[in-house]
């Protein structure tokens, strides 16, 4: 890990407040009555109900949505036995993943105890507090002993993710790999590199799914696990000891259909792959460096199907595909355990989802990339929003069918639909855009390339692989600031440096700019000076000439000045009358987009209809279905003021132009989010659920609303997004953060594609 990344990680964990978690109240506590309900005497009512029927704890407390992530820090990934306290950042990170992906609350509990029996006693006594236990980073064989004992003693799910989460995702990938190569799980032979907790759990589940036990050969640091071996042995791997003369992985690989690596970098040699069976499956899952790099494996065996644990190669095997959703399903049906039937159901749901035809939303979320089942798409992407609605119901159904659900779900279809809506409230709004940008990074030119925030953003953009930054500025200034900031990126290697006074394309650029503005009163000499001295004009002209794919400006100076030059040089896209700006705030229930926040001061009804169409198209880039509310002081015709009439007319025009768009208005802002109130006030509303795009009657209303929400909201904000341009261009504001710039860079790169 580089020094810059190391320091960034430390700052991330330390500021603005230490750690990654906090507790927030879910009920109001604003007056004496609230206090009486929350605590004494009202709390006694809930206590008495739970005393009478323990299952009601899920109705009156957070227990039904609360998981404990518990570790003693004896086997932390990549760090080893660092102890409970040092493992706390990892456990907090796991808690964040639970919340982000499945909206499950977590307390991380680090226990400084290496005696398995004492650890078991400590955890078992926590049962009244939690709906489930996720064991994490506990060394083998203690993890086997601990999990088995806790499952026997506790009436809630106990799940060691290092074992079973890995096993579920690996099994899904192997199941689909066998589908691709046309092999039967009952006929294939598997060899492992590694015989620890994860490897054994993977093999156990594969055997559960039909792999013959006698077709498994384990290898570890001491070689093949054979009958009679005593070195590095324990009863858990001893279950798979085979009668064989083979003693090394090189020997055992002969004729194998599947290689499963959960060991160390480089242990699988390219020259051994020729000995494997036709169309082998290679699961090289060591991180960060796999047992064999995919390019080496592909060179040695072009017919191989390859998976790793890394996100920069196809077929990433990642536990996040499993653990949030298996717990979601288990908690929602009150499962007393996570059994084999639930694991198998999760495997099949993951595998089947990869084979499903992607919806338009999923395709949009991944940049239009065809996620077609095959050798390089065995399992779903981690940010596929359908995971929640596919996996959790499958797990819950298996729990009910196997008799471990204490609160069976009566209507699985309704439950699935509810989960589908819940998936978009997990704070991953920008992730699909970043994934799209990585598919084909574009050249994004920054007018204010000398600014510190731009330089910090450029470092992150390079690390994220979302764009090739092009920075306009003076070499000595940029070089000195990179040094002062401790950033490792360098000109030419990581980004392109554009020096206006040394511009090799000066003649082309000034002539292009002149051709665009000569009918606006600009003289040739004046346009030359603009290209030399105004970086926004230079950036826009570079995009117009094809020397850059997208541009970002606005860190310094007024929005209106930058907009003038963008309109002059970039102009509007074909069929677009006017540019518009949309901003967004990320709220607990999902992103909310607002228009027009910066460009059109008082749009007409025709303008509002166009604004809405442009914004709806942009919202689809986030993998979301646009739901539009025209907001006003008028409620469905209650006033006839000019602004209310304008909104009503805009709605009429828009429905004629885009009849499939889900839009309603004009309405009070509160009804945009209150479906029940809206239905009561206007039963014929064609907007369902919560609006995610508010179209305002004028710029004042939009800008004021956005800035108020941004100030009060802790979920963040991004934008303004400039829409309707002939080429990708965005104008940020001087208050934009580094993260905001990074978001806009990803958006610009995607738009340029």
């Amino acid at each position: 890990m580089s020094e810059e990344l190391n320091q960034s990680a430390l700052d991330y964990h330390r500021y603005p407040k230490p750690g990654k978690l906090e507790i927030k109240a879910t009920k109001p506590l604003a007056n004496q009555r609230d206090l009486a309900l929350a605590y004494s005497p009202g709390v006694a009512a809930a206590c008495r109900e739970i005393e009478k029927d323990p299952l009601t704890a899920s109705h009156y407390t957070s227990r039904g949505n609360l998981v404990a992530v518990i570790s003693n820090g004896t086997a932390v990934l990549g760090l080893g036995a660092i102890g409970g306290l040092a493992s706390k950042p990892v456990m907090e990170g796991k808690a964040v993943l639970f919340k982000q992906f499945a909206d499950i609350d977590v307390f991380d509990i680090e226990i400084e105890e290496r005696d398995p029996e004492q650890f078991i006693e400590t955890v078992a006594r926590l049962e009244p507090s939690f709906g489930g236990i996720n064991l994490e980073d506990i060394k083998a064989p203690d993890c086997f002993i601990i999990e088995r004992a806790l499952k026997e003693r506790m009436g809630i799910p106990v799940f060691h993710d290092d074992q079973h989460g890995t096993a579920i995702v690996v099994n899904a990938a192997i199941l689909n790999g066998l589908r691709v190569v046309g092999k039967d799980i009952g006929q294939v032979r598997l060899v492992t590199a590694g015989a620890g907790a994860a490897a054994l759990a993977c093999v156990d589940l594969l055997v559960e799914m039909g792999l013959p036990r006698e077709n498994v050969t384990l290898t570890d640091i001491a070689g093949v696990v054979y009958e009679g071996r005593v070195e590095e042995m324990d009863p858990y791997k001893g279950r798979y000891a085979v009668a064989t003369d083979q003693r090394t992985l090189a020997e055992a690989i002969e004729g194998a259909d599947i290689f499963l690596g959960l060991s160390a970098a480089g242990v699988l040699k390219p020259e051994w792959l020729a000995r494997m069976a036709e169309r082998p499956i290679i699961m090289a899952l060591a991180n960060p460096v796999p047992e064999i790099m995919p390019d080496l494996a592909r060179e040695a065996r072009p017919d191989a199907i390859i998976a790793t644990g890394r996100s920069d190669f196809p077929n990433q095997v990642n536990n996040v595909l499993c653990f949030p959703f298996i717990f979601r399903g288990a908690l929602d049906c009150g499962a007393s355990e996570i059994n084999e039937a639930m694991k198998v159901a999760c495997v099949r749901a993951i595998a089947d989802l990869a084979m499903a035809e992607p919806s338009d939303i999923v395709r949009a979320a991944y940049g239009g990339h065809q996620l077609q089942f095959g050798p390089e798409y065995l399992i779903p992407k981690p940010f596929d929003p359908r995971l929640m609605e596919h996996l959790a119901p499958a797990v819950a159904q298996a729990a009910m069918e196997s008799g471990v659900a204490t609160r069976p779900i009566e209507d699985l279809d309704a439950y699935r639909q509810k989960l589908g809506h819940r998936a978009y409230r997990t704070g991953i709004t920008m992730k699909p855009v970043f994934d799209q940008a990585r598919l084909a990074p574009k050249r994004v030119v920054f007018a204010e390339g000398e600014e510190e925030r731009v330089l910090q953003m450029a470092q992150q953009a390079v690390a994220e692989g979302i764009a090739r930054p092009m920075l306009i500025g003076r070499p000595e200034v940029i070089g000195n600031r990179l040094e002062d900031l401790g950033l490792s990126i360098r000109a030419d290697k990581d980004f392109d440096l554009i020096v206006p006074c040394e511009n090799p394309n000066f003649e082309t650029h000034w002539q292009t700019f002149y051709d665009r503005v000569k009918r606006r009163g600009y003289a040739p000499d004046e346009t030359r000076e603009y290209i030399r001295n105004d970086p926004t004009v230079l950036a826009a002209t570079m995009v117009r000439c094809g020397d850059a794919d997208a541009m970002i400006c606005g860190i310094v100076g007024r929005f209106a000045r930058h907009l003038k030059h963008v309109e002059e040089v970039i102009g509007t896209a074909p069929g677009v009358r006017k540019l518009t700006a949309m901003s967004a705030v990320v709220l607990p229930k999902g992103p909310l987009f607002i228009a027009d926040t910066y460009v059109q001061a008082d749009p007409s009804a025709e303008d509002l209809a166009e604004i809405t169409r442009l914004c709806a198209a942009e919202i689809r880039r986030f993998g979301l279905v646009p739901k539009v509310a025209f907001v006003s002081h008028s409620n469905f015709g209650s006033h006839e003021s000019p602004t209310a009439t304008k909104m009503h007319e805009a709605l009429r025009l828009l429905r004629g132009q885009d009849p499939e768009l889900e839009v309603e208005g004009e309405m009070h802002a509160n009804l945009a989010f209150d479906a029940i109130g809206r239905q009561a006030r206007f039963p014929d509303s064609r907007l369902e659920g919560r609006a995610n795009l508010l179209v305002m009657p004028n710029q004042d209303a939009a800008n004021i609303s956005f800035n108020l929400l941004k100030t009060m909201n802790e979920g963040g904000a991004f934008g303004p997004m400039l829409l309707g341009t002939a080429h990708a261009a965005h104008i940020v504001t001087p208050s934009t953060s580094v993260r905001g710039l990074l978001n806009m860079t990803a958006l610009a790169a995607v738009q340029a594609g």
Side-chain angles (χ1 to χ4, degrees):
M1 188 163 60
S2 68
E3 182 57 35
E4 186 276 332
L5 181 58
N6 185 73
Q7 187 58 51
S8 294
L10 292 176
D11 291 344
Y12 174 86
H13 282 80
R14 186 174 182 181
Y15 303 109
K17 60 194 303 184
K20 299 189 282 280
L21 301 171
E22 66 177 1
I23 295 174
K24 288 188 173 181
T26 61
K27 302 295 190 297
L29 195 63
N31 52 48
Q32 183 62 37
R33 178 169 175 76
D34 290 344
L35 181 61
L37 294 173
Y39 201 54
S40 181
V43 72
C47 293
R48 284 192 293 266
E49 289 298 310
I50 296 170
E51 184 183 22
K52 288 188 294 184
D53 181 1
L55 291 180
T56 61
S58 63
H59 301 317
Y60 301 117
T61 75
S62 62
R63 185 175 187 262
N65 194 52
L66 186 62
V67 167
V69 171
I70 303 180
S71 180
N72 60 4
T74 54
V76 179
L77 181 64
L79 299 172
I82 60 175
L85 182 59
S87 75
K88 187 172 178 64
V90 179
M91 303 313 129
E92 285 190 353
K94 192 81 172 196
V96 168
L97 295 179
F98 267 107
K99 187 64 178 178
Q100 290 291 90
F101 284 94
D103 198 22
I104 293 173
D105 296 317
V106 168
F107 289 156
D108 63 292
I109 299 176
E110 294 73 35
I111 301 173
E112 199 58 59
E113 179 56 71
R114 302 199 177 196
D115 181 336
E117 294 305 321
Q118 293 299 317
F119 188 92
I120 291 165
E121 290 299 325
T122 302
V123 176
R125 294 188 177 100
L126 298 175
E127 182 169 348
S129 296
F130 298 100
I133 303 290
N134 184 90
L135 299 173
E136 195 78 18
D137 293 348
I138 302 170
K139 71 180 180 71
D142 293 359
C143 58
F144 304 124
I145 299 168
I146 289 168
E147 185 189 38
R148 185 176 65 246
L150 290 175
K151 289 183 73 169
E152 291 173 355
R153 290 183 55 174
M154 303 181 80
I156 57 175
V158 177
F159 187 79
H160 184 210
D161 184 48
D162 299 329
Q163 292 183 63
H164 308 300
T166 302
I168 288 167
V169 183
V170 165
N171 270 252
I174 289 178
L175 180 64
N176 276 352
L178 292 173
R179 284 170 167 168
V180 171
V181 301
K183 295 182 181 181
D184 184 343
I185 193 171
Q187 303 296 320
V188 296
R189 181 167 167 265
L190 176 141
V191 174
T192 77
L200 288 171
C202 290
V203 173
D204 286 344
L205 192 53
L206 282 166
V207 169
E208 176 76 18
M209 296 193 68
L211 177 67
R213 183 182 291 266
E214 60 270 20
N215 289 8
V216 175
T217 302
L218 302 184
T219 74
D220 60 11
I221 194 170
V224 172
V225 176
Y226 60 89
E227 287 183 355
R229 195 184 102 174
V230 295
E231 183 183 3
E232 299 286 335
M233 287 296 290
D234 59 54
Y236 304 99
K237 67 177 75 169
R239 293 181 290 118
Y240 289 98
V242 292
T244 179
D245 294 331
Q246 296 170 345
R247 294 295 182 264
T248 66
L249 175 59
E251 295 171 342
I253 202 76
E254 183 79 34
D257 298 278
I258 304 168
F259 168 80
L260 174 58
L262 286 154
S263 55
V267 302
L268 182 62
K269 306 305 179 186
E271 58 268 24
W272 300 347
L273 299 187
R275 306 174 198 167
M276 295 187 72
E278 182 184 0
R279 299 200 77 185
I281 297 171
I282 299 171
M283 311 288 292
L285 306 181
N287 257 328
V289 182
E291 287 81 1
I292 186 170
M293 291 299 290
D295 55 340
L296 295 177
R298 184 75 63 202
E299 183 178 350
R301 286 299 297 262
D303 63 336
I305 289 181
I306 304 164
T308 71
R310 292 170 52 141
S311 61
D312 52 348
F313 294 108
N315 297 325
Q316 182 194 15
V317 174
N318 190 327
N319 285 18
V320 81
L321 280 175
C322 165
F323 71 82
F325 312 111
I326 199 166
F327 268 99
R328 180 74 276 155
L331 291 173
D332 290 343
C333 70
S336 58
E337 65 175 349
I338 293 175
N339 57 24
E340 293 305 303
M342 296 161 73
K343 294 178 203 173
V344 170
C346 196
V347 170
R348 298 197 184 282
I350 293 172
D352 290 346
L353 181 56
M355 297 181 69
E357 177 67 26
S359 69
D360 292 339
I361 293 175
V362 176
R363 191 178 291 115
Y366 288 92
H369 185 60
Q370 293 294 335
L371 303 179
Q372 186 172 354
F373 176 70
E376 295 197 343
Y377 183 61
L378 297 178
I379 50 179
K381 299 284 188 181
F383 289 89
D384 190 327
R386 301 172 300 170
L387 283 164
M388 176 98 89
E389 59 188 299
H390 277 70
L391 272 59
V395 170
Q397 183 172 0
M400 292 187 288
E401 291 175 354
S402 60
V404 299
T406 63
R407 299 190 307 275
I409 298 169
E410 294 182 4
D411 188 340
L412 277 172
D413 288 335
Y415 174 59
R416 187 175 291 108
Q417 186 176 24
K418 177 182 177 182
L419 291 172
H421 294 305
R422 195 172 194 172
Y424 291 100
R425 304 205 305 262
T426 55
I428 58 172
T429 304
M430 287 299 302
K431 187 62 183 179
V433 177
F434 275 70
D435 286 338
Q436 292 176 51
R438 289 191 190 97
L439 293 175
K442 299 299 182 182
R443 301 165 300 167
V444 181
V445 60
F446 296 85
E448 296 95 1
E450 297 177 356
E451 292 299 307
E452 289 188 357
R453 280 172 290 167
V454 173
L455 297 173
Q456 291 169 318
M457 177 283 310
Q459 175 92 26
Q460 295 184 28
V462 170
E464 293 275 0
I466 61 171
R468 171 77 177 188
M470 305 178 77
L471 308 182
I472 297 176
R474 294 162 291 179
E476 64 278 8
V477 174
I478 289 178
N480 290 338
R481 289 183 178 170
L482 288 173
E483 192 72 29
D484 292 341
L485 293 168
L487 301 177
S488 61
I489 55 171
R490 293 295 178 262
D492 299 328
K493 175 178 178 290
D494 303 298
F495 65 90
D496 297 319
L497 179 57
I498 312 300
V499 184
C501 64
E502 301 174 5
N503 182 1
N505 298 317
F506 174 77
E507 289 297 322
T508 300
H509 288 162
W510 86 258
Q511 187 65 56
T512 299
F513 179 47
Y514 176 67
D515 288 343
R516 293 288 296 173
V517 300
K518 60 188 178 184
R519 292 290 185 179
R520 297 178 180 231
Y522 289 78
D525 287 345
E526 190 178 4
T527 57
R528 291 188 183 94
E529 288 303 307
Y530 268 104
I531 292 294
R532 290 191 184 98
N533 298 315
D534 193 313
T536 296
V537 172
L538 176 55
T541 306
M542 287 176 63
V543 174
R544 168 60 70 174
C545 291
D547 297 325
D549 300 307
M551 68 165 287
I552 293 178
C553 61
I555 283 289
V556 177
R558 294 183 179 182
F559 189 97
R561 179 181 69 82
H562 294 287
L563 179 62
K564 174 177 180 289
H565 294 315
V566 169
E567 287 178 324
E568 290 173 337
V569 183
I570 301 291
T572 57
V576 175
R577 297 168 59 250
K578 297 179 182 178
L579 302 183
T580 189
M582 178 174 71
S583 301
V585 286
V586 182
L587 301 172
K589 292 186 177 181
L592 176 65
F593 300 88
I594 300 173
D596 175 339
T597 46
Y598 280 91
V599 176
Q600 298 189 43
D602 188 15
S604 66
E606 292 78 6
D607 295 332
L608 288 170
E610 181 178 68
I611 286 169
T612 306
R613 293 199 312 275
L614 291 171
C615 292
E618 189 68 14
I619 288 171
R620 293 188 181 100
R621 293 185 193 275
F622 295 86
L624 299 171
V625 175
K627 291 175 172 287
V628 188
F630 280 8
V631 291
S632 171
H633 74 287
S634 174
N635 225 5
F636 305 108
S638 63
H639 291 78
E640 295 183 359
S641 66
T643 56
T645 302
K646 178 174 71 174
M647 300 301 280
H648 189 79
E649 175 63 11
L651 178 67
R652 186 189 66 80
L653 291 171
L654 185 61
R655 284 195 170 149
Q657 297 164 358
D658 190 351
E660 299 300 318
L661 185 64
E662 196 171 329
V663 56
E664 192 53 86
E666 76 286 7
M667 70 181 77
H668 288 175
N670 63 302
L671 293 186
F673 310 112
D674 181 5
I676 295 175
R678 185 171 62 246
Q679 184 69 18
R681 181 67 179 79
F682 190 68
D684 294 332
S685 173
R686 290 168 59 179
L687 173 63
E688 295 183 3
R690 174 185 179 275
N692 57 17
L693 170 61
L694 303 184
V695 179
M696 303 284 184
N698 55 50
Q699 187 183 113
D700 279 345
N703 190 276
I704 291 168
S705 298
F706 168 67
N707 281 293
L708 281 173
L709 286 170
K710 181 175 71 171
T711 300
M712 296 186 293
N713 173 51
E714 296 181 1
F718 54 93
M721 292 160 266
L722 190 62
L723 307 179
T725 52
H727 303 279
H730 289 293
I731 307 168
V732 298
T733 61
S735 63
T736 302
S737 65
V738 174
R739 183 67 196 183
L741 275 172
L742 190 68
N743 288 339
M744 297 307 299
T745 301
L747 281 167
V750 169
Q751 290 172 337

